[in-house]
Amino acid sequence: MDDTRRAVLDAVADGPVSGPALAARLGVSRAAVWKHVEALRESGFAIESDGDGYRLVETPDYGGPAIEFGLDAPFDVEYHDSLPSTNARARDLAAEGETDVVVLADEQTGGRGRLDRTWRSPPGGIWLSILCRPDLPPAHAPVLTLAAAVAVAETAREHGVDAGIKWPNDVLVGGEKLAGILTEMEGEADRVAWVVVGIGINVDPKGLPDGATGLCAHTEEIDRRTFVQHLLERFDDLRTDPEKALAAWREHALTLGRRVRVETGGGTVVGTACAVEFPGTLVVETGDGPVRVHAGDCEHLRPV
Ligand code: BT5
């Protein structure tokens, strides 16, 4: 949403405000104010006008402008009813030079997990990708994945859902997977060019694979609009503060102290997960001493 339209929306939300007063305040013509009001109406905002002026009476339930309205984070939100994959769309936007854009879809028809696995994304879920250009070396980018996992877990907890994080990027409730994160990036040796952090959160628990759960299995009602707003605000807060992200990750970690089996590119590591170090490395205490794992699939094992 451009700045003038945002200003018009903020003003009518505090309304009533007359067209001429608004035009004078924003330094635009009355016709321009009218065009912005019409465009906002088309996006689903119910704006009444009477003798006192324009007044916002209803906000759309979901979508780009609905999420941008009142969002305390510097993201533009691009919404689609259906997309193959929000990560794929965000990568296209990266190639066009965009940044700080969130791609959001109601449904994905080709959602992807890590290692090209399929990610089931029925209508009504929360499927989004955040495109940003952090000032980080590529080796530090995993901290953004941790920040995203924290943002999901904390927002779920705020909604009364007892979520925790399994290393590195799964958000679980009662041992079942509520959300997954797929981070993709491009960069030079010393600096990230762009990062796309893809976040998938199940809402309706029906129609998901075994071992998956949705927010609605654990709480009465979810307002996806405020959920996404809080998620983006928390992510924005953590993305520039790796120490804070890591500390918050540890606070919500389900993996630390557990016996784990981690499948890595270089083999299987079994032992007790004893720490997570910057930028997201898992330290596993094995019979042969500590092993540091940078990436892999982690399974929680029963204690022996
Ligand atoms: C992940 O992969 O957990 C990352 C998922 C990221 C999805 C988001 S949605 C928005 C953005 N756009 C995309 O195209 N992707 C991102 P991984 O750890 O590899 O887990 C994948 C495995 O989880 C699959 O092999 C299934 O076993 C399981 N799975 C598939 N769909 C699921 C779902 N909706 N909920 C829980 N588990 C699921």
Side-chain angles (χ1 to χ4, degrees), residues 84-87 108 110-115 117-122 126-129 169-170 177-182 198-200 202 208-209 211-213 297:
S85 156
T86 56
N87 265 39
Q108 294 184 120
R112 284 181 304 119
R114 294 176 302 152
L115 305 172
R117 294 173 187 136
T118 298
W119 181 259
R120 200 92 67 83
S121 322
I126 296 174
W127 323 121
L128 64 87
S129 300
N169 62 356
D170 287 351
K177 186 156 165 169
L178 175 75
I181 297 165
L182 172 66
I199 303 176
N202 299 316
L208 298 176
T213 187
D297 275 322

Side-chain angles (χ1 to χ4, degrees), residues 20-303:
L22 195 47
R25 197 192 304 169
L26 302 178
V28 299
S29 68
R30 287 165 63 175
V33 167
W34 183 80
K35 270 195 197 148
H36 285 298
V37 168
E38 281 308 298
L40 288 165
R41 284 176 171 151
E42 268 166 37
S43 310
F45 292 93
I47 299 171
E48 280 181 355
S49 63
D50 56 23
D52 296 330
Y54 296 114
R55 182 186 314 125
L56 177 67
V57 289
E58 211 178 306
T59 306
D61 291 341
Y62 201 49
I67 286 166
E68 284 182 26
F69 175 49
L71 176 66
D72 189 14
F75 297 114
D76 285 328
V77 181
E78 182 189 286
Y79 172 80
H80 301 260
D81 286 332
S82 180
L83 268 185
S85 156
T86 56
N87 265 39
R89 171 64 188 151
R91 291 173 63 116
D92 289 346
L93 292 171
E96 292 169 18
E98 297 276 355
T99 189
D100 282 352
V101 178
V102 174
V103 179
L104 177 73
D106 185 53
E107 169 195 49
Q108 294 184 120
T109 52
R112 284 181 304 119
R114 294 176 302 152
L115 305 172
D116 250 345
R117 294 173 187 136
T118 298
W119 181 259
R120 200 92 67 83
S121 322
I126 296 174
W127 323 121
L128 64 87
S129 300
I130 306 168
L131 164 63
C132 54
R133 297 177 187 271
D135 188 10
L136 288 177
H140 293 181
V143 80
L144 294 178
T145 304
L146 301 194
V150 169
V152 174
E154 290 188 351
T155 308
R157 297 181 77 87
E158 219 178 81
H159 284 73
V161 177
D162 187 18
I165 308 170
K166 181 169 80 118
W167 184 87
N169 62 356
D170 287 351
V171 178
L172 308 184
V173 185
E176 294 183 314
K177 186 156 165 169
L178 175 75
I181 297 165
L182 172 66
T183 301
E184 300 180 281
M185 68 169 161
E186 198 170 89
E188 309 287 316
D190 57 341
R191 200 163 175 280
V192 165
W194 54 259
V195 178
V196 169
V197 182
I199 303 176
I201 307 168
N202 299 316
V203 175
D204 186 343
K206 290 196 279 295
L208 298 176
D210 284 349
T213 187
L215 290 168
C216 287
H218 308 279
T219 185
E220 293 257 303
E221 212 179 304
I222 283 293
D223 174 359
R224 286 189 297 166
R225 175 175 164 256
T226 50
F227 195 100
V228 171
Q229 286 178 329
H230 291 184
L231 171 71
L232 295 177
E233 286 165 1
R234 187 61 176 141
F235 178 78
D236 182 48
D237 177 39
L238 294 171
R239 65 173 163 159
T240 50
D241 194 341
E243 283 311 316
K244 192 163 157 187
L246 214 53
W249 191 94
R250 291 188 186 108
E251 200 180 309
H252 300 297
L254 300 169
T255 304
L256 297 180
R258 294 284 302 256
R259 274 185 62 74
V260 294
R261 176 190 294 121
V262 191
E263 304 293 345
T264 76
T268 305
V269 179
V270 179
T272 302
C274 57
V276 161
E277 296 175 347
F278 182 82
T281 306
L282 185 68
V283 185
V284 182
E285 192 59 54
T286 66
D288 301 327
V291 175
R292 287 179 164 70
V293 188
H294 304 287
D297 275 322
C298 171
E299 187 188 344
H300 290 168
L301 304 174
R302 287 179 204 288

